[in-house]
Amino acid sequence: FNGWCSVTPIEGITMDTEFNIICDNWIDLDDGIIRYEFYTKNDEHLTALGSSTNGLLSIKIPLGSDYVN
């Protein structure tokens, strides 16, 4: 809880634009933050993008399912 994430740029082209995701100030009272996991969500379908231990991820977003592209 308590954290934030931002994505730049705010729009781009699938599989072409590199997006930078930054997450910071998240708090886990039990074990601390061990790993950040990043997903896209279309309707109820989650697609894993990647993970990092420092809250930073640079990625080209993959194509989604035919029904959501």
Side-chain angles (χ1 to χ4, degrees):
F1 68 94
N2 199 48
W4 56 269
C5 293
S6 67
V7 178
T8 55
I10 58 171
E11 59 183 50
I13 299 170
T14 303
M15 296 179 56
D16 185 52
T17 304
E18 185 164 44
F19 292 90
N20 297 299
I21 306 169
I22 300 170
C23 295
D24 200 11
N25 290 328
W26 289 94
I27 297 170
D28 181 333
L29 297 177
D30 294 326
D31 300 322
I33 302 296
I34 297 169
R35 180 177 58 206
Y36 293 83
E37 295 184 358
F38 301 90
Y39 297 85
T40 60
K41 182 176 180 182
N42 292 313
D43 298 320
E44 296 302 315
H45 181 73
L46 290 176
T47 301
L49 297 176
S51 64
S52 76
T53 57
N54 62 3
L56 306 174
L57 184 69
S58 293
I59 188 168
K60 292 182 179 180
I61 305 295
L63 286 172
S65 301
D66 290 340
Y67 71 95
V68 294
N69 284 328

